Amino acid sequence: MAAKLLLLALLAMASSLAMASDPSPLQDFCVADKGSKVLVNGFVCKDPKVVKAEDFFFRGLDKAGDTVNKVGSNVTAVNVNQLVGLNTLGISMVRIDYAPRGLNAPHTHPRATEILTVIEGQLLVGFVTSNSDDGNRLFTKMLKKGDVFVFPRGLIHFQFNPGHTKTIAIGALSSQNPGTITIANAVFGSKPPISDDVLAKAFQVDKKTIDWLQAQF
């Protein structure tokens, strides 16, 4: 009897874990119907009979993004919002342009691992591990043309161009819609703002410093 109960418990756990992950596609494709008003986790499928080749096509990654901004970088995303054929396929990509001394500021992708390769120039890249007894470890590397680096899902990471010429990188992400949380923007630029009492305590600085930082965003 005990053995049967243990077997049932194990089967229940396995079933729970299976349901917690993304389901495998049940058809060849599920092109997003962005005009549908039905709310689901992702996008409703377009009728396969009206799907066209253009639904699987995107043009523009050959064009440089505008890096004239405060951080000196620009991300051109190709996810399900730009390419509806990616719906349910669990993959997307980005082109990132960096001006000299340009930065893709510390951020996370809550739903994706990212793998990145340098096409032109050089990059200082890195990621920080989650909280542990050993602290938050930093893994960093200088990349040159053709080098590849991977950023594990959900971890804070960054890329910085230390050179005096532009840099171009291409990244692939393991989600049709990976999401991005830029740390500084989220902490100091949230709407409504996080209380300066909270942030002053968290960062161990005075409230005037927090107020100044929030004013930048």
Side-chain angles (χ1 to χ4, degrees):
M1 183 66 180
K4 289 183 178 179
L5 289 173
L6 178 59
L7 178 60
L8 287 172
L10 289 172
L11 288 172
M13 289 176 64
S15 175
S16 175
L17 288 172
M19 290 187 291
S21 62
D22 290 339
S24 298
L26 301 178
Q27 52 209 31
D28 289 344
F29 51 78
C30 173
V31 171
D33 182 358
K34 298 184 70 176
S36 174
K37 295 182 179 180
V38 178
L39 300 179
V40 297
N41 184 23
F43 292 96
V44 173
C45 301
K46 184 186 291 188
D47 183 344
K49 295 177 182 178
V50 300
V51 169
K52 302 176 182 179
E54 285 74 14
D55 292 322
F56 303 95
F57 176 77
F58 176 89
R59 174 177 284 141
L61 283 190
D62 59 318
K63 296 178 174 62
D66 183 6
T67 58
V68 181
N69 53 55
K70 290 183 178 180
V71 294
S73 70
N74 187 287
V75 178
T76 303
V78 186
N79 57 47
V80 71
N81 295 297
Q82 293 80 32
L83 181 55
V84 291
L86 288 174
N87 193 41
T88 75
L89 298 185
I91 193 169
S92 58
M93 65 185 302
V94 293
R95 168 182 171 146
I96 314 175
D97 292 275
Y98 312 80
R101 310 292 294 174
L103 170 71
N104 190 11
H107 61 283
T108 73
H109 301 296
R111 296 181 288 276
T113 292
E114 178 180 1
I115 187 168
L116 179 133
T117 185
V118 176
I119 303 300
E120 179 181 333
Q122 58 183 328
L123 283 177
L124 174 66
V125 304
F127 68 85
V128 180
T129 63
S130 55
N131 300 351
S132 72
D133 293 339
D134 297 327
N136 302 93
R137 293 185 63 193
L138 170 65
F139 292 85
T140 186
K141 189 76 174 175
M142 182 66 74
L143 305 184
K144 297 181 179 179
K145 181 178 179 179
D147 291 344
V148 176
F149 198 82
V150 65
F151 305 103
R153 175 178 175 174
L155 297 188
I156 295 173
H157 59 283
F158 62 87
Q159 303 109 31
F160 174 65
N161 175 13
H164 300 289
T165 59
K166 69 178 182 180
T167 291
I168 303 169
I170 295 290
L173 299 108
S174 61
S175 171
Q176 68 179 40
N177 187 24
T180 300
I181 303 171
T182 304
I183 306 306
N185 298 56
V187 173
F188 297 111
S190 67
K191 297 178 182 179
I194 299 172
S195 166
D196 54 6
D197 287 315
V198 171
L199 296 180
K201 186 77 169 181
F203 287 93
Q204 297 293 289
V205 297
D206 59 70
K207 290 199 288 185
K208 287 184 178 179
T209 301
I210 295 299
D211 293 341
W212 180 85
L213 285 168
Q214 289 179 322
Q216 308 310 304
F217 295 90

